Amino acid sequence: MKTSDFFYELPQELIAQTPVEPRDSSRLMILDKENGSIEHKIFRDLTDYLNEGDCLILNDTRVIPARIYGVKKETGAVVEFLLLKQRENNVWECLCKPGKRAKEGTSFTFGEGLVDCDVLDITEDGNRIIRFNCDSKEIYNILDKIGKMPLPPYITEELKNGERYQTVYSRELGSAAAPTAGLHFTKEMLKKIEDMGVKIGYVTLHVGLGTFRPVKVDDVTKHKMHSEHYQLSAETAALINETKKNGKRVISVGTTSTRTLESVATKYGCIKEDEDDTSIFIYPGYEFKCVDALITNFHLPESTLIMLVSAFAGYDNVMKAYKTAVEERYRFFSFGDAMMIE
């Protein structure tokens, strides 16, 4: 398949700039992947489509305030650093803008001397490897003081409440972007779901900005996927296996939860406790091994995310659903509306 096959026309005004209040009042499209039928609902109506014994799998990663501004010690020039991934201890991979000011061997200071860093290396794709001169755990406290929430570039309005770019169940620090399908849930809605007899399990996948990187090759199969770190606990593995054994559905909330579950299932041929990095790339032709239903947002044209959704629901179904979403004036991307595919 060609990357251009996943293009669709999207009016600029449909890109959501702010989250809706309350969280569960966003719109919800229900897509039947077997017959392509579409229903239009509100997100809180999701409970009508869940059954006792099903399980929801949520990604409990928490976004760090990863955008920081450093002053170059030699010249006083200001450079934007976007922390992508903690490599080890106090060593991080990051994006720098402008990159030409962050050459190997240069040093920067942040927060008027609160912390310094050295640029150790430059990766093949232009990212910087930096080392902070502080304890690896202390950096999170420092980021709370000097960092900003790393909203995607298509969101131009300032976010007044940083917690609106976190899920209500976020707890494991480490992401450069939110697992946005989970932003629609409230604590009250999750309790209602549990009271219905639907089990809830958690995985952790730290979302990198590679999620938003455009596919730059014509042939989809030639795209090199970014790597992200995940963890699937023994408890969650047991929940999934019990659900499958009982003939009930594993419902993945978001593409990040999906990539975690399918990575483990592909690696072992089953679901079990695991922690690893994954660069799994799911596009049409992929056979799903774990996920039975998917809750997701509406994704960028020609992105790896719309390819994953097309693999799950069928290419024709998804392109029709997106065309319908545009016609019905759904809100798109991170702060936009949701879709459930069953």
Side-chain angles (χ1 to χ4, degrees), residues 59-178:
N59 181 7
D60 64 4
T61 190
R62 187 166 174 81
V63 185
I64 59 175
R67 181 172 278 118
I68 56 177
Y69 295 88
V71 176
K72 193 172 181 178
K73 289 185 178 180
E74 296 171 357
T75 64
V78 176
V79 173
E80 178 186 286
F81 288 72
L82 189 55
L83 304 180
L84 300 178
K85 187 179 187 180
Q86 189 172 17
R87 288 282 193 96
E88 54 179 297
N89 297 327
N90 55 353
V91 176
W92 287 73
E93 182 175 347
C94 64
L95 286 173
C96 289
K97 194 165 67 173
K100 62 184 178 182
R101 290 181 178 169
K103 295 178 180 176
E104 187 178 339
T106 53
S107 298
F108 292 82
T109 185
F110 302 86
E112 298 180 344
L114 199 57
V115 68
D116 295 348
C117 87
D118 299 310
V119 180
L120 304 181
D121 197 7
I122 300 175
T123 67
E124 202 176 287
D125 53 4
N127 293 347
R128 268 53 179 177
I129 306 299
I130 64 171
R131 181 174 57 220
F132 289 107
N133 67 342
C134 67
D135 180 82
S136 58
K137 293 179 181 176
E138 182 61 24
I139 190 61
Y140 290 110
N141 294 328
I142 293 171
L143 290 175
D144 280 339
K145 296 174 184 174
I146 66 172
K148 290 189 174 182
M149 203 57 77
L151 294 179
Y154 49 74
I155 295 177
T156 56
E157 290 195 27
E158 189 171 344
L159 183 63
K160 293 177 181 177
N161 177 8
E163 282 302 307
R164 285 303 272 108
Y165 194 57
Q166 306 277 15
T167 62
V168 296
Y169 48 82
S170 64
R171 55 190 176 194
E172 300 292 339
L173 280 167
S175 275

Side-chain angles (χ1 to χ4, degrees), residues 211-230:
T211 296
F212 301 106
R213 276 203 178 129
V215 178
K216 294 181 178 178
V217 291
D218 292 331
D219 182 350
V220 166
T221 63
K222 299 289 193 294
H223 176 67
K224 184 182 177 184
M225 197 68 176
H226 58 287
S227 176
E228 294 169 318
H229 191 74
Y230 71 82

Side-chain angles (χ1 to χ4, degrees), residues 37-323:
S37 67
I38 290 171
E39 296 178 74
H40 303 290
K41 299 291 181 177
I42 301 298
F43 193 80
R44 65 177 68 96
D45 297 330
L46 176 69
T47 52
D48 295 338
Y49 297 85
L50 304 178
N51 303 315
E52 184 178 355
D54 288 343
C55 75
L56 275 184
I57 302 298
L58 309 172
N59 181 7
D60 64 4
T61 190
R62 187 166 174 81
V63 185
I64 59 175
R67 181 172 278 118
I68 56 177
Y69 295 88
V71 176
K72 193 172 181 178
K73 289 185 178 180
E74 296 171 357
T75 64
V78 176
V79 173
E80 178 186 286
F81 288 72
L82 189 55
L83 304 180
L84 300 178
K85 187 179 187 180
Q86 189 172 17
R87 288 282 193 96
E88 54 179 297
N89 297 327
N90 55 353
V91 176
W92 287 73
E93 182 175 347
C94 64
L95 286 173
C96 289
K97 194 165 67 173
K100 62 184 178 182
R101 290 181 178 169
K103 295 178 180 176
E104 187 178 339
T106 53
S107 298
F108 292 82
T109 185
F110 302 86
E112 298 180 344
L114 199 57
V115 68
D116 295 348
C117 87
D118 299 310
V119 180
L120 304 181
D121 197 7
I122 300 175
T123 67
E124 202 176 287
D125 53 4
N127 293 347
R128 268 53 179 177
I129 306 299
I130 64 171
R131 181 174 57 220
F132 289 107
N133 67 342
C134 67
D135 180 82
S136 58
K137 293 179 181 176
E138 182 61 24
I139 190 61
Y140 290 110
N141 294 328
I142 293 171
L143 290 175
D144 280 339
K145 296 174 184 174
I146 66 172
K148 290 189 174 182
M149 203 57 77
L151 294 179
Y154 49 74
I155 295 177
T156 56
E157 290 195 27
E158 189 171 344
L159 183 63
K160 293 177 181 177
N161 177 8
E163 282 302 307
R164 285 303 272 108
Y165 194 57
Q166 306 277 15
T167 62
V168 296
Y169 48 82
S170 64
R171 55 190 176 194
E172 300 292 339
L173 280 167
S175 275
T180 55
L183 294 178
H184 306 280
F185 288 95
T186 63
K187 289 182 178 179
E188 293 77 17
M189 186 175 175
L190 288 170
K191 184 177 188 310
K192 181 179 179 181
I193 287 170
E194 285 190 297
D195 289 345
M196 291 170 54
V198 177
K199 306 292 186 183
I200 295 179
Y202 297 92
V203 296
T204 303
L205 182 137
H206 292 315
V207 189
L209 285 193
T211 296
F212 301 106
R213 276 203 178 129
V215 178
K216 294 181 178 178
V217 291
D218 292 331
D219 182 350
V220 166
T221 63
K222 299 289 193 294
H223 176 67
K224 184 182 177 184
M225 197 68 176
H226 58 287
S227 176
E228 294 169 318
H229 191 74
Y230 71 82
Q231 189 168 8
L232 193 157
S233 68
E235 182 183 7
T236 297
L239 171 61
I240 291 169
N241 289 326
E242 181 188 7
T243 301
K244 290 285 192 182
K245 180 183 173 185
N246 293 334
K248 300 297 184 177
R249 297 178 302 169
V250 174
I251 303 168
S252 180
V253 176
T255 57
T256 59
S257 298
T258 301
R259 292 181 71 237
T260 301
L261 298 179
E262 294 298 321
S263 294
V264 174
T266 299
K267 181 178 175 181
Y268 295 110
C270 64
I271 293 295
K272 58 188 286 189
E273 180 181 9
D274 194 36
E275 181 174 3
D276 202 351
D277 290 336
T278 180
S279 55
I280 191 171
F281 181 19
I282 298 174
Y283 53 88
Y286 176 86
E287 291 188 14
F288 284 80
K289 302 164 184 64
C290 179
V291 176
D292 300 306
L294 172 63
I295 298 166
T296 186
N297 278 19
F298 291 90
H299 304 293
L300 279 77
E302 301 184 337
S303 64
T304 60
L305 304 181
I306 193 174
M307 293 173 190
L308 182 154
V309 174
S310 297
F312 187 74
Y315 172 80
D316 291 338
N317 286 341
V318 169
M319 298 315 289
K320 174 191 166 190
Y322 271 63
K323 184 173 183 292

